[in-house]
Amino acid sequence: MTQDIQFITRTKSLIDNLKSVCANYGLGNDGNEYKIITQVFLYKFLNDKFRYEVRQVRPELLETDNFLKALQDLSADEYNFLLALIDVNAPRLKAHHLISYLHNKQNEGDFAKLLDDTLREISIDNADIFSVKSSTGTKTKLFDELSQFITDPSKRDTFCKALINKLFEFSFEEVFNQKYDFFATIFEYLIKDYNSNSGGVYAEYYTPHAVARIMAQILVPATVSGVKCYDPAAGSGTLLMSLAHQIGEQNCSIYSEDRSQKSSNMLRLNLVLNNLTHSIPNIIETNTISDPYYLDTKFDYIVSNPPFKLDFSGFSADLGKDSFKERFFAGVPKVPKTKKESMAIYLMFIQHIMHSLSTTGKGAIVVPTGFVTAQSGIEKKIRERLIEKGWLRGVISMPSNIFASTSTNVSVVFIDKEADTEHIVLLDASKLGETIKDDKNQRTVLTPAEEAKIIENFNNKISEENLSVVVSKADIAAKNYSFSAGQYFEVKIEYVDITAKEFKAKMVGYETNLNALFAEGNLLDIAIQNQLKGLRYE
C-alpha cells in the first residue's frame, strides 16, 4: 500500500510537471493542453512498458549499465526475435524511439522535428494494437505532432526538450506486475482540469468510482470468463474498467462506442493503464444511436452512464423509420419547439442496450430518477417491457449529488435476461452517504460500509426497513410499473392503548388549547379592525 501511495504521488507530480511545461509555453488551459498531456503520458507509458516486457524475456539486456546501447547493438534478426518473445499486446519500439535516446540528443538541432518523427514512427509501427477506429474503419493516429501546438517556431525545440526532461525523471516499470486499481485515482487526476471543451462537460468522462464498483459487484457476483463487455457511451471508461477488474482483465474483452474523439482517446489511455490493451481495437468512434458499429453484436455485460439530455433533433426523424423500430420499440422523444438540448436521449440508449444484450445478458444503466416513476410516455413503455419480458433484476436509487457535476438525482436500473421475477430488489439509498466539498461543489460520498450494505442487500435479496424491498413482477404491474422502492415500503401505524379516562383528559386538553387559540384570534381581529379605522387619506 505504501508503495502504491508513493507511486501515485510521483505520477501526479509528473502530470503537474507536464502541465507546468504547457503553462510556461502559453498552453495552460488551452484547448490543446489535454492532447499534449495525455499523449506525452501515453508515450512515457509505452516506453516503460516496452522496457518492462524486454526485462521479462531478456533480463540481461536491462542488467547492463546502458539498456539503450544494448538494444542498439542487437542485429536485425536478434531484434525481431526479441519482439517475437514479448507479449503480443506490448508496444514495439526501436532503440531510437526510447526516451533515453531523445534525452541524449537534446544538444543537437531540430529537436522538435526529432520528437515529432519519433512519435509518428511509433504510431505507424503500433497502429494495429493501439489505434482507435471510426465506424467507417478509419484508424486514428496515436500521436499528433506535438511541436505544432507551439505557434512560435523558435520555441518548439525548447518546449519539446522540456517535455522529454520531465519524462526522464522516473519510471512506471516498478508497478507493471501489480493490479492496476490505483490507476483509477491517477486517471481521474489526469483529466480533472478538462472540465469543459466546446460545450462538453466533465460528466462526459467520469462516473463516481463508488457507483462503478456497486454496478460491477452486483452484475458479476460470481466467477465468469470469456465474456464480452460493452458500453455504448463509454466516455473515459470508468464503468468498463470497474467491470473488467471485477471479472478479471484476462477473462473479458471490452467493446465501446462514443462519438467524442476526446473520449475515445481517453478510453484508449485508460485501457493501456489497466492492462486491457488487447481491447483497444474494439474502441469505435461513432454515433451509437444513429450509426452503431456493433448493431448485430450481442453482449454478455453492458454498463452505461449515458448522456441524459442532448439535442439529437438532427437525426431523430430517421430513428422513427421502420428500419429502427425493432431497436427503438418504445418510440423516439418529440423535438421540442424550444430547448432542444433537453431531449431525453438516455431513453434511446436504454432501448439500444436492451436490444444489444445476449440471450443471457446482464446490464446496469444510470438513469435520472424521474425515469423510475414516470406515469406515461416512453419511460413507462420501457418499464412495462422490462417487466413483461421478466428482465428486471432491480433498481437502486442513489443519494442526491453523488455526481459532483450534476444535481440530477440518479438511479441504476439492473437488467438480467435470466432475472428472478418473483424476487426483484428495489433499494432506496437516497438517505445514505456523507456530504463533502469537491472543489466548488457539494458531493455525496458513500462510505465503504454503505457500499457493502447496498451490494449485500441487493445480491442476497434482503428486505430492510426504509432501505430495500423485494417484490414480484405482479407487484410492480399493480403499482403502474413503478420502480421506486418507497412506493412498496410498508406503512406502519403505531397504536397506543389508553383508558377511557386518559382519552377524556386528552380531549379536554385539546379543547382547552383550541378555545385559547380562538380567543387569541378574536383579539387580533379586533386589533386589526381598530387599526384600519384609524387610517386616513391625506
Side-chain angles (χ1 to χ4, degrees):
M1 181 60 70
T2 301
Q3 183 184 16
D4 289 356
I5 294 172
Q6 291 175 348
F7 175 76
I8 289 171
T9 301
R10 290 166 61 194
T11 305
K12 287 181 176 180
S13 178
L14 169 62
I15 295 169
D16 288 340
N17 288 338
L18 293 174
K19 289 181 178 180
S20 178
V21 170
C22 289
N24 290 339
Y25 286 84
L27 294 171
N29 296 319
D30 180 87
N32 291 314
E33 185 191 29
Y34 88 92
K35 293 183 180 180
I36 297 169
I37 300 297
T38 55
Q39 290 185 35
V40 170
F41 196 80
L42 177 59
Y43 171 47
K44 170 63 175 172
F45 194 90
L46 296 182
N47 178 92
D48 293 355
K49 181 67 171 175
F50 176 71
R51 288 174 55 94
Y52 172 81
E53 293 295 338
V54 170
R55 175 190 291 169
Q56 305 311 300
V57 298
R58 293 285 301 276
E60 70 276 8
L61 289 179
L62 284 162
E63 288 170 0
T64 65
D65 293 334
N66 192 333
F67 171 69
L68 173 61
K69 185 177 185 306
L71 198 63
Q72 288 173 321
D73 289 343
L74 294 177
S75 67
D77 288 342
E78 289 173 324
Y79 171 75
N80 289 330
F81 182 69
L82 175 65
L83 295 187
L85 292 176
I86 66 176
D87 190 292
V88 294
N89 293 311
R92 268 61 181 154
L93 303 186
K94 298 182 175 68
H96 64 275
H97 294 157
L98 299 179
I99 291 172
S100 55
Y101 177 85
L102 295 181
H103 188 264
N104 293 341
K105 292 288 184 178
Q106 288 187 80
N107 294 327
E108 299 183 13
D110 292 332
F111 186 80
K113 182 178 183 302
L114 177 61
L115 177 58
D116 288 340
D117 289 346
T118 298
L119 296 181
R120 187 183 306 109
E121 285 186 25
I122 294 173
S123 293
I124 294 170
D125 292 349
N126 294 273
D128 290 342
I129 301 175
F130 294 100
S131 288
V132 173
K133 290 187 297 185
S134 69
S135 59
T136 61
T138 303
K139 292 184 177 182
T140 62
K141 56 185 179 180
L142 269 71
F143 302 107
D144 294 301
E145 295 183 354
L146 297 184
S147 70
Q148 302 307 306
F149 293 121
I150 303 296
T151 54
D152 184 349
S154 67
K155 296 181 179 179
R156 289 174 181 168
D157 281 351
T158 55
F159 171 71
C160 292
K161 290 176 184 178
L163 292 177
I164 292 299
N165 282 329
K166 297 303 181 187
L167 299 184
F168 194 71
E169 294 175 358
F170 89 106
S171 174
F172 284 120
E173 291 179 68
E174 61 193 74
V175 294
F176 282 140
N177 60 348
Q178 297 184 36
K179 186 82 171 176
Y180 297 130
D181 286 343
F182 51 79
F183 271 122
T185 302
I186 294 169
F187 192 80
E188 179 184 345
Y189 187 79
L190 178 65
I191 67 172
K192 71 181 179 65
D193 288 339
Y194 309 126
N195 208 20
S196 62
N197 183 47
S198 302
V201 293
Y202 184 39
E204 179 183 8
Y205 307 110
Y206 176 59
T207 303
H209 298 305
V211 176
R213 285 191 297 267
I214 289 169
M215 290 167 69
Q217 291 180 47
I218 287 175
L219 275 181
V220 192
T223 302
V224 297
S225 62
V227 295
K228 292 181 179 179
C229 304
Y230 172 61
D231 188 337
S236 67
T238 300
L239 291 177
L240 285 171
M241 297 307 104
S242 285
L243 184 60
H245 291 322
Q246 179 70 11
I247 295 171
E249 295 84 352
Q250 73 282 1
N251 294 325
C252 64
S253 295
I254 297 298
Y255 296 79
S256 74
E257 296 179 89
D258 201 297
R259 72 176 189 173
S260 167
Q261 184 183 68
K262 182 192 288 188
S263 292
S264 298
N265 289 334
M266 292 285 194
L267 175 56
R268 173 175 57 194
L269 178 56
N270 215 357
L271 289 172
V272 172
L273 294 182
N274 284 277
N275 203 28
L276 287 158
T277 303
H278 61 276
S279 290
I280 289 178
N282 303 332
I283 303 172
I284 304 299
E285 186 182 312
T286 190
N287 185 323
T288 308
I289 301 304
S290 64
D291 188 25
Y293 186 82
Y294 292 118
L295 180 61
D296 298 322
T297 305
K298 301 301 180 183
F299 298 96
D300 302 295
Y301 294 93
I302 301 179
V303 287
S304 189
N305 174 21
F308 290 171
K309 295 181 179 181
L310 201 67
D311 178 6
F312 63 103
S313 58
F315 58 86
S316 63
D318 292 335
L319 302 179
K321 295 178 180 178
D322 289 343
S323 58
F324 288 93
K325 283 187 177 178
E326 180 184 354
R327 185 161 52 124
F328 301 125
F329 63 90
V332 181
K334 294 179 180 179
V335 179
K337 292 181 180 179
T338 59
K339 294 185 177 180
K340 293 181 180 180
E341 68 279 3
S342 67
M343 294 178 68
I345 195 170
Y346 80 93
L347 296 172
M348 309 308 292
F349 278 99
I350 297 175
Q351 295 176 80
H352 173 78
I353 288 168
M354 292 169 67
H355 175 81
S356 301
L357 284 169
S358 69
T359 55
T360 59
K362 299 166 177 56
I365 315 165
V366 179
V367 300
T369 292
F371 168 80
V372 305
T373 56
Q375 296 296 299
S376 60
I378 297 173
E379 295 92 335
K380 188 182 177 188
K381 289 180 181 178
I382 293 173
R383 298 201 314 269
E384 287 176 347
R385 174 67 67 91
L386 289 172
I387 295 302
E388 290 166 0
K389 290 284 188 179
W391 293 352
L392 182 68
R393 183 179 169 196
V395 178
I396 298 174
S397 295
M398 291 292 178
S400 300
N401 299 318
I402 199 163
F403 286 75
S405 54
T406 177
S407 58
T408 303
N409 290 337
V410 303
S411 295
V412 182
V413 176
F414 290 87
I415 302 173
D416 187 342
K417 289 285 193 73
E418 300 177 306
D420 176 359
T421 58
E422 294 303 307
H423 299 87
I424 299 168
V425 181
L426 303 179
L427 193 149
D428 182 3
S430 62
K431 297 180 178 62
L432 303 182
E434 301 173 347
T435 301
I436 65 167
K437 185 83 170 177
D438 188 355
D439 292 330
K440 297 179 181 179
N441 301 312
Q442 295 287 335
R443 183 156 66 99
T444 303
V445 176
L446 293 169
T447 67
E450 288 171 331
E451 280 187 47
K453 169 65 75 174
I454 291 170
I455 294 165
E456 178 189 14
N457 280 30
F458 202 100
N459 281 341
N460 295 324
K461 301 181 175 66
I462 297 172
S463 290
E464 184 172 328
E465 186 175 350
N466 296 325
L467 178 64
S468 56
V469 63
V470 179
V471 298
S472 69
K473 62 181 292 186
D475 294 331
I476 292 178
K479 290 278 190 181
N480 200 28
Y481 297 93
S482 171
F483 291 175
S484 173
Q487 294 194 23
Y488 300 86
F489 288 152
E490 183 181 353
V491 177
K492 293 188 176 181
I493 301 174
E494 293 187 6
Y495 294 92
V496 179
D497 290 331
I498 59 175
T499 64
K501 184 177 180 181
E502 290 171 333
F503 177 77
K504 184 176 181 180
K506 281 182 178 289
M507 295 304 294
V508 169
Y510 293 147
E511 185 177 356
T512 301
N513 289 336
L514 280 172
N515 288 335
L517 290 172
F518 288 150
E520 185 179 354
N522 289 333
L523 291 174
L524 288 173
D525 288 342
I526 293 170
I528 292 171
Q529 290 174 13
N530 290 335
Q531 289 288 335
L532 289 173
K533 289 176 182 177
L535 292 176
R536 292 175 134 193
Y537 175 76
E538 295 188 11

